[in-house]
Amino acid sequence: MTHELKTGGDRGYLRIATEEAFATQEQLDAIMRLVKEGRADKGTMSLWGFYGTSPSERTTFIRERLLDLGELRIQAMDDSGIDKAVLAMTSPGVQSLHDVEEAKRIARNSNNQLKDACERYPDRFYGMIAIAPQDPEWSAEELRRGKEELGFHGVQVNSHTHGHYLDEEQFDPILRACADLDLPLYIHPQGPPDGMIGSMVEAGLDGAVFGFGVETSFHGLRMLTTGVFDRYPGLQMMLGHGCEAIPYWIYRHDYMHRAGVRSQRYPRLQPLQHDLFHYLRNNVLATNSGMAFEPAIKLMIEVMGEDRVMYAMDYPYQYLPEEVRWMDDMDISDSQKKKFFQTNAERWFKL
């Protein structure tokens, strides 16, 4: 151990964790009902068929901690030196549900439950809004309620909704509401849809090990390449897990995207106002959730800028207090470290 982990800013900054998951029993019951009935997609079957039923120490810990919005979570934050947590409904949210009215009810109830927790711990918990993209107009109204009535600070969408993505025209009310309300849009992984997942489950690569990142980076790139940020130049899209590897790939993404536009090979790829580097540096925010890896964080800072990269733990899925020490000891400037842990989150989430 190199130093004790304390809250309160003893190292010159507070630590704000920006991608921390919770669940409601109502949500988990609905998901597990689909799994047991065999009506969930393959990604949900694989993820929650395991996490919802396995008696292992890890899965039991995760289920217990997802449902806790009180003392257990606060103690975990204290033990790892986390001052504040931005909480969002765990993947897949309500997006795998087929009954739209049920999805809307569970999302709204979860927002109310999270609001109660934030009121109990006003200096520790901050909320992101859960929506049901199956009903984009309702979701836009829930975004307004989430900001204006509940005081939440962003929205989390768990990537695809039955294989459909936010750049599609049907979801424009959600994007417009995020832009109008100045709410950051966090696109969080879930299992790849059936049309993408292929043999990932058989290979053991469908979840956080690989499939999550592949599917969510695909979503992010759809947003970048189809003019979303030309329509809504102030919209801020957040991606976790090292920005889902997009900063590493951005040179090739940009080069081949421009070549694709020139070729007129794809009707959807039309000229944009800027190159992809511009959108990455002006419309994308990143966290290191699940990526306590100094080279990856330095790459994000270099490519995206030091004002766009934030800390996240990915609690309770990846809870290892030692990772916080590794981040404290990164070889970056003191000012960059304070931005990474504290002030970028305060700025973009308006804490």
XYZ file of all heavy atoms in Angstrom, residues 18 182-186 224 229 232-244 246-247 276-289 296-312 332 335-350:
587
model
N -18.055 8.307 -11.839
C -19.088 8.797 -12.759
C -19.841 7.717 -13.532
O -20.661 8.054 -14.388
C -18.454 9.777 -13.771
O -17.357 9.119 -14.433
C -17.955 11.035 -13.091
N -29.595 20.437 -22.088
C -28.166 20.425 -21.771
C -27.829 19.290 -20.810
O -27.148 19.470 -19.801
C -27.732 21.773 -21.188
C -26.216 21.948 -21.181
O -25.534 21.222 -21.934
O -25.722 22.799 -20.415
N -28.327 18.089 -21.157
C -28.076 16.893 -20.374
C -27.065 16.012 -21.097
O -27.295 15.633 -22.248
C -29.364 16.087 -20.182
C -30.385 16.604 -19.173
C -31.696 15.848 -19.338
C -29.866 16.466 -17.747
N -25.953 15.658 -20.476
C -25.029 14.715 -21.113
C -25.688 13.355 -21.288
O -26.431 12.884 -20.424
C -23.845 14.649 -20.151
C -24.363 15.146 -18.844
C -25.469 16.102 -19.154
N -25.411 12.733 -22.425
C -25.992 11.449 -22.806
C -24.929 10.372 -22.655
O -24.003 10.284 -23.453
C -26.487 11.520 -24.251
C -26.895 10.215 -24.939
C -28.062 9.558 -24.214
C -27.230 10.471 -26.405
N -25.057 9.565 -21.609
C -24.098 8.492 -21.354
C -24.596 7.239 -22.062
O -25.660 6.708 -21.735
C -23.983 8.232 -19.849
C -22.671 7.604 -19.422
C -21.842 8.219 -18.498
C -22.253 6.375 -19.946
C -20.637 7.650 -18.098
C -21.061 5.805 -19.566
C -20.254 6.447 -18.631
O -19.056 5.882 -18.253
N -21.270 9.449 -34.405
C -20.239 10.344 -34.938
C -20.333 10.518 -36.449
O -20.003 11.588 -36.972
C -18.853 9.805 -34.580
C -18.411 9.934 -33.118
C -17.130 9.152 -32.900
C -18.207 11.394 -32.738
N -24.152 15.316 -34.550
C -23.565 16.480 -33.888
C -23.525 17.708 -34.795
O -23.209 18.802 -34.321
C -22.182 16.121 -33.344
C -22.243 14.997 -32.344
C -21.763 13.736 -32.665
C -22.836 15.192 -31.106
C -21.841 12.695 -31.753
C -22.917 14.154 -30.188
C -22.425 12.899 -30.510
N -27.080 18.777 -33.677
C -27.079 19.211 -32.280
C -25.639 19.470 -31.834
O -25.030 18.664 -31.137
C -27.727 18.141 -31.397
C -29.151 17.833 -31.784
C -29.495 16.593 -32.332
C -30.156 18.784 -31.623
C -30.807 16.322 -32.695
C -31.470 18.514 -31.983
C -31.783 17.290 -32.522
O -33.084 17.030 -32.881
N -25.071 20.599 -32.239
C -23.640 20.840 -31.976
C -23.290 20.974 -30.498
O -22.121 20.850 -30.140
C -23.354 22.137 -32.733
C -24.680 22.777 -32.945
C -25.670 21.663 -33.064
N -24.270 21.204 -29.640
C -23.978 21.291 -28.216
C -24.147 19.987 -27.464
O -23.804 19.902 -26.279
N -24.643 18.963 -28.123
C -24.896 17.674 -27.467
C -23.579 17.030 -27.040
O -22.612 17.001 -27.800
C -25.648 16.751 -28.430
C -25.977 15.340 -27.928
C -26.913 15.391 -26.727
C -26.584 14.508 -29.055
N -23.569 16.494 -25.818
C -22.389 15.828 -25.290
C -22.703 14.357 -25.058
O -23.594 14.010 -24.283
C -21.934 16.480 -23.980
C -21.536 17.935 -24.127
C -20.316 18.132 -25.009
O -19.350 17.354 -24.940
N -20.329 19.175 -25.830
N -21.968 13.488 -25.741
C -22.107 12.037 -25.603
C -20.977 11.513 -24.733
O -19.807 11.775 -25.011
C -22.065 11.372 -26.981
C -22.059 9.853 -26.948
S -22.072 9.104 -28.612
C -20.422 9.535 -29.210
N -21.322 10.761 -23.695
C -20.321 10.163 -22.821
C -20.180 8.679 -23.148
O -21.180 7.990 -23.364
C -20.725 10.312 -21.358
C -20.727 11.723 -20.838
S -21.049 11.750 -19.052
C -20.769 13.487 -18.700
N -18.951 8.213 -23.163
C -18.653 6.792 -23.353
C -17.673 6.356 -22.276
O -16.711 7.068 -21.981
C -18.049 6.539 -24.734
C -18.939 6.845 -25.942
C -18.127 6.758 -27.230
C -20.133 5.907 -26.009
N -17.910 5.199 -21.702
C -17.029 4.696 -20.662
C -15.978 3.745 -21.194
O -15.738 3.636 -22.391
N -15.286 3.062 -20.245
C -14.364 1.977 -20.582
C -13.314 2.417 -21.604
O -13.116 1.785 -22.639
C -15.169 0.766 -21.085
C -16.367 0.506 -20.228
N -17.642 0.861 -20.598
C -16.465 -0.015 -18.986
C -18.483 0.563 -19.622
N -17.794 0.034 -18.630
N -12.678 3.559 -21.279
C -11.661 4.067 -22.189
C -12.242 4.628 -23.467
O -11.632 4.526 -24.532
N -13.454 5.221 -23.362
C -14.159 5.745 -24.542
C -14.389 4.637 -25.561
O -14.420 4.873 -26.763
C -13.433 6.929 -25.168
S -14.494 8.009 -26.174
N -14.584 3.412 -25.024
C -14.865 2.237 -25.857
C -13.856 2.099 -27.009
O -14.190 1.685 -28.111
C -16.302 2.268 -26.390
C -17.370 2.472 -25.324
C -17.456 1.362 -24.285
O -16.753 0.357 -24.432
O -18.227 1.523 -23.304
N -12.431 4.145 -28.944
C -12.484 5.035 -30.107
C -11.254 5.935 -30.210
O -10.739 6.143 -31.324
C -13.803 5.838 -30.107
C -14.974 4.901 -30.430
C -13.757 6.983 -31.114
C -16.337 5.552 -30.361
N -10.717 6.500 -29.114
C -9.510 7.326 -29.278
C -8.338 6.576 -29.900
O -7.556 7.154 -30.658
C -9.198 7.785 -27.846
C -10.521 7.776 -27.164
C -11.232 6.577 -27.739
N -13.869 13.649 -37.939
C -14.248 12.941 -36.724
C -13.432 13.377 -35.517
O -13.908 13.310 -34.375
C -14.123 11.428 -36.929
C -15.004 10.816 -38.021
C -14.937 9.296 -37.947
C -16.450 11.295 -37.938
N -12.210 13.854 -35.750
C -11.416 14.379 -34.647
C -12.148 15.538 -33.969
O -12.137 15.662 -32.740
C -10.052 14.861 -35.156
C -9.089 13.769 -35.483
C -8.978 13.284 -36.780
C -8.267 13.226 -34.508
C -8.075 12.282 -37.094
C -7.356 12.224 -34.806
C -7.267 11.751 -36.109
N -12.768 16.391 -34.770
C -13.479 17.550 -34.222
C -14.588 17.100 -33.282
O -14.720 17.628 -32.163
C -14.068 18.392 -35.355
C -14.961 19.491 -34.864
N -14.481 20.761 -34.598
C -16.298 19.524 -34.577
C -15.481 21.517 -34.164
N -16.586 20.793 -34.154
N -15.399 16.137 -33.703
C -16.508 15.706 -32.852
C -15.991 15.021 -31.594
O -16.559 15.189 -30.501
C -17.450 14.783 -33.631
C -18.002 15.438 -34.867
C -17.634 14.999 -36.141
C -18.864 16.523 -34.776
C -18.128 15.607 -37.280
C -19.361 17.143 -35.912
C -18.986 16.679 -37.167
O -19.463 17.291 -38.295
N -14.915 14.256 -31.726
C -14.348 13.588 -30.560
C -13.878 14.613 -29.530
O -13.998 14.391 -28.322
C -13.189 12.687 -30.988
C -12.629 11.745 -29.923
C -13.663 10.728 -29.477
C -11.380 11.026 -30.437
N -13.374 15.750 -30.006
C -12.820 16.765 -29.107
C -13.837 17.810 -28.670
O -13.541 18.635 -27.796
C -11.637 17.453 -29.802
C -10.446 16.537 -30.014
C -9.441 17.132 -30.968
N -8.259 16.275 -31.126
C -7.396 16.361 -32.139
N -7.598 17.273 -33.097
N -6.364 15.560 -32.212
N -15.020 17.790 -29.268
C -16.023 18.802 -28.949
C -17.360 18.236 -28.489
O -18.144 18.961 -27.864
C -16.265 19.707 -30.156
C -15.102 20.623 -30.437
O -14.992 21.704 -29.868
N -14.202 20.191 -31.323
N -17.631 16.964 -28.789
C -18.942 16.392 -28.478
C -18.883 15.077 -27.724
O -19.938 14.506 -27.424
C -19.747 16.175 -29.765
C -20.002 17.460 -30.511
O -19.306 17.786 -31.465
N -21.003 18.215 -30.073
N -17.697 14.590 -27.418
C -17.566 13.292 -26.743
C -16.811 13.483 -25.429
O -15.801 14.200 -25.380
C -16.849 12.262 -27.625
C -16.775 10.902 -26.918
C -17.552 12.111 -28.970
N -17.327 12.855 -24.396
C -16.691 12.811 -23.086
C -16.412 11.355 -22.757
O -17.129 10.464 -23.210
C -17.599 13.422 -22.025
C -18.018 14.873 -22.284
C -19.252 15.233 -21.474
C -16.872 15.819 -21.949
N -15.378 11.112 -21.968
C -14.976 9.726 -21.716
C -14.700 9.505 -20.244
O -14.263 10.406 -19.528
C -13.727 9.383 -22.529
N -14.971 8.273 -19.799
C -14.539 7.849 -18.476
C -13.663 6.606 -18.624
O -13.668 5.939 -19.650
C -15.729 7.533 -17.550
O -16.243 6.229 -17.855
C -16.831 8.572 -17.686
N -12.936 6.322 -17.563
C -12.045 5.160 -17.584
C -12.679 3.957 -16.897
O -11.968 3.021 -16.529
C -10.728 5.493 -16.884
C -10.868 5.483 -15.373
O -11.768 6.147 -14.845
N -10.027 4.739 -14.669
N -14.002 3.942 -16.734
C -14.658 2.849 -16.017
C -14.141 1.500 -16.488
O -14.101 1.210 -17.677
C -16.172 2.927 -16.223
O -16.486 2.979 -17.606
N -3.888 3.874 -21.176
C -5.155 4.164 -21.843
C -5.676 5.537 -21.453
O -6.214 6.284 -22.289
C -6.185 3.092 -21.506
N -5.533 5.897 -20.178
C -6.011 7.205 -19.713
C -5.175 8.321 -20.333
O -5.704 9.351 -20.777
C -5.977 7.251 -18.178
C -6.996 6.251 -17.614
C -6.261 8.664 -17.670
C -6.836 5.970 -16.138
N -3.875 8.127 -20.405
C -3.015 9.134 -21.046
C -3.355 9.297 -22.522
O -3.330 10.413 -23.065
C -1.543 8.738 -20.879
C -0.994 8.942 -19.478
C 0.480 8.549 -19.445
C 1.124 8.892 -18.120
N 2.545 8.493 -18.089
N -3.669 8.197 -23.182
C -4.047 8.290 -24.597
C -5.323 9.106 -24.751
O -5.413 9.970 -25.628
C -4.239 6.890 -25.184
C -4.759 6.853 -26.626
C -3.693 7.364 -27.585
C -5.203 5.458 -27.019
N -6.323 8.842 -23.910
C -7.557 9.616 -23.984
C -7.295 11.099 -23.775
O -7.823 11.947 -24.507
C -8.566 9.118 -22.938
C -9.208 7.799 -23.269
S -10.623 7.446 -22.165
C -9.789 7.067 -20.633
N -6.486 11.417 -22.779
C -6.184 12.826 -22.498
C -5.481 13.458 -23.693
O -5.796 14.590 -24.101
C -5.336 12.943 -21.215
C -6.190 12.589 -19.988
C -4.743 14.335 -21.083
C -5.407 12.500 -18.692
N -4.535 12.737 -24.296
C -3.796 13.294 -25.429
C -4.691 13.497 -26.640
O -4.593 14.524 -27.329
C -2.631 12.371 -25.798
C -1.792 12.890 -26.957
C -0.583 12.022 -27.249
O -0.354 11.038 -26.526
O 0.138 12.339 -28.219
N -5.559 12.556 -26.919
C -6.366 12.614 -28.131
C -7.588 13.507 -27.963
O -7.941 14.269 -28.866
C -6.798 11.185 -28.539
C -7.769 11.231 -29.711
C -5.576 10.346 -28.906
N -8.243 13.431 -26.794
C -9.501 14.142 -26.587
C -9.326 15.476 -25.884
O -10.179 16.369 -26.006
C -10.460 13.278 -25.755
C -10.775 11.934 -26.378
S -11.850 10.924 -25.332
C -13.368 11.864 -25.426
N -8.270 15.628 -25.120
C -8.055 16.826 -24.322
C -8.309 16.558 -22.852
O -9.163 15.754 -22.478
N -7.572 17.228 -21.999
C -7.613 16.957 -20.567
C -8.928 17.369 -19.907
O -9.204 16.998 -18.766
C -6.452 17.657 -19.860
C -6.485 19.167 -19.975
C -5.250 19.813 -19.368
O -4.158 19.214 -19.411
O -5.386 20.945 -18.860
N -9.761 18.135 -20.596
C -11.043 18.563 -20.035
C -12.165 17.575 -20.305
O -13.314 17.812 -19.895
C -11.445 19.927 -20.608
C -10.479 21.028 -20.217
O -9.956 20.986 -19.085
O -10.227 21.928 -21.042
N -11.874 16.461 -20.975
C -12.941 15.563 -21.432
C -12.827 14.147 -20.890
O -13.581 13.274 -21.302
C -12.959 15.512 -22.971
C -13.338 16.846 -23.551
C -13.683 16.836 -25.028
N -14.506 18.013 -25.266
C -15.825 18.019 -25.254
N -16.486 16.900 -25.073
N -16.502 19.129 -25.425
N -11.923 13.912 -19.966
C -11.688 12.560 -19.461
C -11.921 12.553 -17.953
O -11.380 13.395 -17.229
C -10.263 12.087 -19.798
C -10.040 10.655 -19.303
C -10.017 12.187 -21.300
N -12.719 11.583 -17.488
C -13.143 11.544 -16.085
C -12.937 10.164 -15.487
O -12.869 9.169 -16.196
C -14.636 11.914 -15.989
C -14.939 13.352 -16.339
S -16.724 13.653 -16.493
C -17.015 12.981 -18.130
N -12.931 10.159 -14.166
C -12.766 8.920 -13.418
C -14.108 8.203 -13.239
O -15.150 8.841 -13.057
C -12.164 9.198 -12.040
C -12.151 7.973 -11.164
C -11.268 6.934 -11.423
C -13.045 7.845 -10.114
C -11.276 5.789 -10.648
C -13.053 6.699 -9.325
C -12.169 5.678 -9.603
O -12.180 4.545 -8.837
N -14.085 6.886 -13.281
C -15.221 6.053 -12.881
C -14.682 4.733 -12.365
O -13.647 4.246 -12.823
C -16.180 5.817 -14.044
N 0.818 12.037 -14.373
C 0.262 13.182 -15.087
C 0.347 14.377 -14.147
O 0.608 14.221 -12.948
C -1.203 12.948 -15.533
C -2.109 12.651 -14.340
C -1.268 11.797 -16.542
C -3.583 12.467 -14.697
N -2.664 19.310 -12.057
C -3.871 19.951 -12.585
C -4.683 18.967 -13.420
O -5.922 18.961 -13.360
C -3.515 21.184 -13.414
O -2.758 20.825 -14.562
N -4.008 18.113 -14.190
C -4.720 17.095 -14.964
C -5.387 16.082 -14.038
O -6.505 15.633 -14.300
C -3.758 16.381 -15.911
C -3.330 17.222 -17.106
C -2.320 16.496 -17.971
O -1.495 15.724 -17.472
N -2.361 16.748 -19.270
N -4.708 15.737 -12.957
C -5.272 14.751 -12.033
C -6.522 15.303 -11.353
O -7.513 14.580 -11.164
C -4.225 14.348 -10.996
C -4.456 12.985 -10.386
C -3.249 12.536 -9.569
C -2.047 12.255 -10.441
N -0.898 11.743 -9.658
N -6.505 16.583 -10.998
C -7.695 17.174 -10.378
C -8.843 17.231 -11.380
O -10.003 16.980 -11.022
C -7.384 18.566 -9.837
C -8.556 19.170 -9.071
C -8.165 20.422 -8.316
C -9.343 20.938 -7.475
N -8.964 22.108 -6.647
N -8.550 17.535 -12.631
C -9.598 17.503 -13.651
C -10.148 16.094 -13.809
O -11.367 15.892 -13.891
C -9.059 18.006 -14.989
C -8.815 19.503 -15.041
C -8.308 19.938 -16.413
C -8.148 21.451 -16.471
N -7.721 21.913 -17.805
N -9.279 15.118 -13.870
C -9.676 13.729 -14.070
C -10.590 13.241 -12.946
O -11.640 12.633 -13.200
C -8.414 12.862 -14.152
C -8.658 11.382 -14.163
C -9.189 10.754 -15.273
C -8.325 10.608 -13.052
C -9.407 9.377 -15.282
C -8.526 9.238 -13.051
C -9.077 8.622 -14.172
N -10.207 13.513 -11.701
C -10.958 13.000 -10.570
C -12.148 13.878 -10.175
O -13.145 13.361 -9.675
C -10.045 12.855 -9.345
C -9.347 11.531 -9.243
C -7.971 11.442 -9.361
C -10.047 10.371 -9.000
C -7.313 10.220 -9.244
C -9.418 9.147 -8.883
C -8.045 9.068 -9.005
N -12.056 15.168 -10.376
C -13.046 16.048 -9.758
C -13.690 17.043 -10.722
O -14.894 16.991 -10.959
C -12.396 16.813 -8.590
C -13.340 17.811 -7.920
C -12.686 18.613 -6.819
O -11.606 18.285 -6.346
N -13.330 19.687 -6.405
N -12.902 17.974 -11.245
C -13.527 19.171 -11.825
C -14.164 18.907 -13.187
O -15.119 19.604 -13.551
C -12.517 20.332 -11.914
O -11.367 19.920 -12.664
C -12.087 20.765 -10.520
N -13.680 17.922 -13.941
C -14.384 17.601 -15.200
C -15.783 17.073 -14.914
O -16.744 17.435 -15.589
C -13.576 16.586 -16.019
C -12.364 17.207 -16.675
O -12.224 18.427 -16.749
N -11.461 16.378 -17.160
N -15.907 16.210 -13.911
C -17.222 15.703 -13.539
C -18.122 16.831 -13.051
O -19.308 16.905 -13.398
C -17.100 14.619 -12.481
N -17.564 17.723 -12.246
C -18.353 18.854 -11.760
C -18.833 19.727 -12.910
O -19.984 20.194 -12.917
C -17.527 19.680 -10.769
C -17.256 18.964 -9.459
C -16.283 19.726 -8.572
O -15.491 20.552 -9.099
O -16.290 19.478 -7.358
N -17.967 19.906 -13.895
C -18.324 20.761 -15.027
C -19.391 20.117 -15.898
O -20.429 20.725 -16.184
C -17.075 21.044 -15.867
C -17.375 21.766 -17.178
C -16.146 21.865 -18.053
N -16.450 22.483 -19.335
C -15.571 22.617 -20.320
N -14.314 22.167 -20.166
N -15.926 23.177 -21.468
N -19.170 18.872 -16.320
C -20.050 18.274 -17.327
C -21.355 17.762 -16.740
O -22.388 17.795 -17.413
C -19.298 17.183 -18.075
C -18.164 17.707 -18.871
C -16.828 17.525 -18.630
C -18.234 18.556 -20.026
N -16.071 18.202 -19.563
C -16.907 18.829 -20.436
C -19.279 19.104 -20.765
C -16.602 19.624 -21.536
C -18.979 19.890 -21.863
C -17.668 20.140 -22.242
N -21.328 17.307 -15.499
C -22.567 16.876 -14.842
C -23.246 18.017 -14.079
O -24.332 17.820 -13.537
C -22.305 15.712 -13.889
C -22.102 14.384 -14.555
C -20.837 13.800 -14.604
C -23.161 13.703 -15.127
C -20.637 12.563 -15.216
C -22.977 12.470 -15.739
C -21.710 11.902 -15.768
N -22.561 19.148 -14.005
C -23.100 20.315 -13.284
C -23.439 19.953 -11.840
O -24.545 20.177 -11.362
C -24.316 20.885 -14.013
C -23.978 21.377 -15.439
C -25.177 21.891 -16.160
C -24.791 22.402 -17.527
N -24.211 21.350 -18.408
